[in-house]
């Protein structure tokens, strides 16, 4: 059974810092990996999707990498801003197109 | 602006009540999903549907049923609500194939409290 772990569970950084969020998964037989953002009390917004054949994807200040063989992904956020404060979740797609989610990293960017 | 709409943002129900959570998407997506989200447990898949009148059990279907009579609408039903079903419920949809098949669009969520 696929398990997805995100460490740390919570992170607080001052504005302007670059930061890395980590995601690991136990079964490397995945089709893709996604990173989502969730604001308090809201649904999830898809940020980046990395196909299993890809190594990384970039969108603005966000860069996500994937090392499928080692079961790891990172989300790099450059020059963090208070508006980046949210919970970030990763999810992997396995057989039958089922997504397995991590429990998320709650990020707070302080002024 | 395309979206997934969950009609009820907050509900409070009593144990034993029948509860309907409605989800409508306007993107003509074939796939629709119901998740519940609990602290420390993340999102867990309850049921999903790949087509009208079609449904598949997810990881935690016990105590739930679903209905998909129209392509755009996917309903989650709690036949007899219990306190352990107090949770945030999230609906999502995605297109059938291609690179977008697993790019889910989520609704804002329905927070259900069962007393």
């Amino acid at each position: 059974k696929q398990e997805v772990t995100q460490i740390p569970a919570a992170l607080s950084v001052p504005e302007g810092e670059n930061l890395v969020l980590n995601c690991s998964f136990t079964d490397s037989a995945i089709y893709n990996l996604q990173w989502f953002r969730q604001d308090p009390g809201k649904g999830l917004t898809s940020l980046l999707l990395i196909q299993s054949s890809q190594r990384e994807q970039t969108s603005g200040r966000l860069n996500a990498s994937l090392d499928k063989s080692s079961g790891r992904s990172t989300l790099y956020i450059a020059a963090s801003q208070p508006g980046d404060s949210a919970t970030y979740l990763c999810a992997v797609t396995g057989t039958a197109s089922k997504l397995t989610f991590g429990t998320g990293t709650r990020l707070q960017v302080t002024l | 602006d395309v979206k997934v709409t969950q009609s009820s943002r907050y509900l409070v129900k009593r144990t034993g009540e029948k509860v309907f959570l409605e989800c409508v998407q306007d993107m003509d997506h074939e796939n629709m999903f119901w998740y519940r989200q609990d602290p420390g447990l993340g999102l867990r898949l309850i049921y999903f549907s790949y087509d009208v009148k079609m449904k598949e059990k997810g990881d935690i279907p016990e105590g739930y049923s679903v209905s998909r009579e129209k392509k755009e609408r996917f309903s989650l039903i709690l036949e007899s609500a219990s306190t352990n079903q107090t949770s945030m419920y999230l609906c999502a949809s995605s297109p059938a194939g291609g690179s977008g098949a697993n790019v889910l669009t989520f609704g804002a969520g329905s927070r259900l409290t069962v007393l």
Side-chain angles (χ1 to χ4, degrees):
Chain A
K1 180 185 174 185
Q2 178 74 269
E3 293 183 4
V4 180
T5 303
Q6 292 185 247
I7 294 173
L11 181 64
S12 181
V13 300
E15 182 180 13
E17 265 201 18
N18 303 324
L19 61 102
V20 174
L21 306 180
N22 297 294
C23 173
S24 61
F25 46 95
T26 56
D27 186 351
S28 61
I30 64 169
Y31 291 103
N32 59 49
L33 181 144
Q34 296 180 65
W35 284 93
F36 293 86
R37 170 186 172 134
Q38 185 176 29
D39 292 293
K42 301 287 182 63
L44 278 67
T45 300
S46 181
L47 297 173
L48 290 164
L49 169 73
I50 311 176
Q51 300 291 352
S52 61
S53 59
Q54 297 175 321
R55 298 284 290 182
E56 66 178 332
Q57 282 285 336
T58 298
S59 176
R61 294 182 294 109
L62 304 180
N63 176 275
S65 68
L66 174 64
D67 185 343
K68 199 174 84 161
S69 60
S70 67
R72 295 179 187 275
S73 175
T74 61
L75 179 66
Y76 175 83
I77 303 177
S80 58
Q81 303 170 358
D84 295 329
S85 298
T87 296
Y88 291 82
L89 297 101
C90 68
V92 296
T93 302
T95 56
S97 296
K98 286 179 60 178
L99 271 71
T100 303
F101 284 83
T103 53
T105 294
R106 188 172 67 254
L107 172 66
Q108 183 174 10
V109 180
T110 59
L111 291 170
Chain B
D1 189 21
V2 294
K3 58 185 176 183
V4 177
T5 302
Q6 295 182 231
S7 55
S8 302
R9 289 298 314 277
Y10 301 95
L11 302 94
V12 179
K13 298 292 183 181
R14 297 206 174 274
T15 301
E17 280 194 72
K18 190 169 185 176
V19 181
F20 292 87
L21 299 179
E22 303 288 343
C23 175
V24 178
Q25 50 94 4
D26 63 2
M27 295 168 282
D28 201 33
H29 284 171
E30 287 76 14
N31 305 331
M32 296 190 75
F33 307 83
W34 275 107
Y35 290 86
R36 65 177 283 177
Q37 184 177 28
D38 301 286
L41 296 176
L43 275 81
R44 293 177 291 168
L45 181 63
I46 305 171
Y47 266 97
F48 59 101
S49 170
Y50 289 147
D51 202 351
V52 176
K53 296 192 184 294
M54 177 271 179
K55 60 185 178 183
E56 292 285 344
K57 293 180 179 179
D59 297 320
I60 51 164
E62 296 79 17
Y64 303 94
S65 62
V66 290
S67 172
R68 191 155 182 211
E69 296 297 317
K70 294 185 178 181
K71 187 177 184 180
E72 66 271 18
R73 187 180 297 269
F74 192 36
S75 303
L76 181 68
I77 304 158
L78 287 68
E79 294 288 343
S80 178
S82 62
T83 55
N84 63 13
Q85 292 179 309
T86 292
S87 186
M88 169 72 94
Y89 290 88
L90 292 165
C91 175
S93 70
S94 71
S99 61
N102 297 308
V103 181
L104 273 62
T105 301
F106 279 84
S110 298
R111 182 165 294 282
L112 171 67
T113 301
V114 182
L115 302 175

